[in-house]
Amino acid sequence: MEKVKTKWICQNCGYETAKYLGKCPDCFSWGTIVEEKVCSQNNKTSSLSIKNFNNQKPELLSSINFNQIDNIKRQKSGIDEFDRVTGGGLVLGSLNLIAGDPGIGKSTLLLQVCSKLAKNGLKLLYVSAEESAIQIKLRANRLNINSDNLYIYTNTNFELIEMQINDLKPDILVIDSIQTIFKSTLSSVSGTVSQIKECTLSFMQIAKTLNITIIIVGHVTKDGNIAGPKILEHMVDSVFYFEGDKYKSYRILRCNKNRFGATDELGMFEMEEFGLRQILNPSELFLNKHKEDDNGISGSVIVATNDGNRPLLVEIESLVGVTPYPSPRRVANGVDYNRLLQILAVLEKRLGLNLSKQDVYVNVAGGLNIYEPSSDLGIAVAILSCAYDVVFDPKTVLLGEISLSGYIKNVTNIEKRILEAQKLGFNRIIIPKQQNKKFKDFKIKILEVEKLKDVVKLCIGNLKK
Ligand code: TYD
Ligand code: MG
């Protein structure tokens, strides 16, 4: 007879306990422990998986041939930004997870990728557990997508979906979204930890046994993690985050885990009226166009950050003004607040800049977030430029981390950043002093600096108004 047990499971981290607790002892979140019924009958592994893995034997590492690497088949979509992030295309038989805020464009991206893959002759099944077929048709119309190889199935029941997969035998399967799929054999509601775990495990078995590439969509929680336990991320082969500001049009596809490629890649898209358009030269997006014809504005500098493995030139703006409040305000948009406070402390101590009666605003143009320390120098110079009302040369790029002593520390991937600045037509780049490196092949003028004071002398002049 079927035995029903109840467990209390934290919906945030998957922690299990026998009784209710207000606070999860594992992840310390409050009110996330929920009662779930678990039927012991469901612990049986799917018969499908046993049948298919039956004749697999352990192999000697030394006997595994390198040719097998070439046998990893990748399914390229032809959307360069997507293919690059996935490590050169989705790997046949892999389970991939795409997560992002609601409304960010996950379904749009996947529908566009699907249509491209379908054009390449692959058979696709798009399972939508959130939208009706007509809603998908409307979106497809908007994106101008029509394909004979793309099947849409709208259901939330795992068993029914599995039947359709066995019938149709698609090459690629999209599950939109994993939080809405449920197995009727489990008594907990969809979206709970046990449902997500069980369904993902079954999809994993389907991917490996039937050699179907599966992409599952995952929702994220308020604090930006994938809803459901971390275990979901452990189970899949690759995890991609689709992010961006809902109110800005650009989107970033970031790889967080990839068993078949590098994780430091990132792809950029812009959400337009008729779908997502890939941005092949992202630096241009974040630079103001007005620089050519005017003499520039004080408080604005260009930094070379490194997002993923890719250099990105971004404009940092700063505004410094007398405060009307008893204690001055510090506002950081797109840069880390604590980092800003630290830079201000260095400016006050090492350069004698008095900001105790001044409000300081720092903003990254284009709404981008940069949390890399290499933009420290840019932030400092933007503040100085505005505080002394001196225009910083708009054709110079800044690069460097500021230490508390006022020295400029080195940054990673320096050559790539210099090259990007050169490519975009900048004349000069200020970088931290290099110990054992000489740059010869660059046309752009490279200035090496050791201390923050040197940069100030070079760019702002004598620190007196
Ligand atoms: P959607 O793909 O439904 O987001 P998600 O699946 O991540 O929840 O995208 C929703 C938003 O994208 C919606 O607010 C409208 C916008 N959008 C466009 O701006 N242009 C388009 O061509 C499409 C299809 C959507
Ligand atoms: Mg969606």
Side-chain angles (χ1 to χ4, degrees), residues 229-451:
K230 261 276 181 248
I231 200 159
L232 186 61
E233 286 178 67
H234 288 300
M235 280 151 89
V236 297
D237 292 316
S238 43
V239 180
F240 305 101
Y241 277 88
F242 200 41
E243 42 185 54
D245 201 326
K246 225 185 194 175
Y247 306 103
K248 307 256 167 55
S249 59
Y250 74 87
R251 304 278 184 268
I252 296 174
L253 183 68
R254 197 188 293 277
C255 179
N256 221 29
K257 164 183 175 181
N258 195 349
R259 288 191 179 144
F260 305 103
T263 50
D264 44 15
E265 283 296 354
L266 126 169
M268 286 215 159
F269 298 87
E270 192 162 10
M271 180 63 94
E272 295 187 337
E273 201 185 337
F274 303 107
L276 288 155
R277 182 182 62 87
Q278 45 180 343
I279 304 170
L280 296 171
N281 190 1
S283 288
E284 279 173 4
L285 190 73
F286 300 106
L287 296 179
N288 277 343
K289 298 273 186 309
H290 64 253
K291 285 283 157 67
E292 295 293 333
D293 40 327
D294 65 19
N295 294 326
I297 301 157
S298 71
S300 152
V301 302
I302 309 291
V303 297
T305 73
N306 210 17
D307 217 342
N309 206 6
R310 196 177 197 191
L312 193 61
L313 294 193
V314 191
E315 183 184 358
I316 293 186
E317 306 165 311
S318 168
L319 193 68
V320 179
V322 180
T323 182
Y325 308 106
S327 57
R329 305 191 71 187
R330 272 82 178 96
V331 177
N333 267 329
V335 298
D336 185 37
Y337 181 70
N338 288 325
R339 198 98 213 153
L340 171 64
L341 295 187
Q342 185 178 316
I343 294 167
L344 290 175
V346 175
L347 288 177
E348 294 199 270
K349 180 75 187 169
R350 307 289 168 199
L351 298 182
L353 186 71
N354 185 2
L355 295 168
S356 60
K357 298 273 183 303
Q358 312 268 324
D359 284 337
V360 178
Y361 298 83
V362 173
N363 178 48
V364 179
L368 199 75
N369 291 323
I370 41 175
Y371 293 116
E372 218 206 355
S374 72
S375 54
D376 284 0
L377 189 58
I379 298 173
V381 173
I383 294 167
L384 285 168
S385 154
C386 190
Y388 291 99
D389 208 9
V390 179
V391 177
F392 182 73
D393 174 23
K395 284 283 177 191
T396 300
V397 175
L398 290 160
L399 194 56
E401 177 183 346
I402 298 176
S403 73
L404 291 180
S405 56
Y407 278 80
I408 312 291
K409 286 203 228 163
N410 210 353
V411 299
T412 54
N413 259 343
I414 196 152
E415 271 115 342
K416 276 193 180 171
R417 305 187 204 221
I418 298 175
L419 196 67
E420 179 76 3
Q422 178 175 303
K423 242 177 26 195
L424 286 168
F426 286 88
N427 301 334
R428 270 201 318 179
I429 182 161
I430 297 178
I431 62 167
K433 197 164 180 64
Q434 304 293 306
Q435 298 299 343
N436 310 313
K437 242 185 220 168
K438 286 270 166 290
F439 302 106
K440 279 187 199 132
D441 308 329
F442 294 107
K443 275 191 225 108
I444 186 170
K445 193 171 171 197
I446 300 171
L447 296 174
E448 294 184 21
V449 288
E450 205 174 1
K451 284 189 261 175

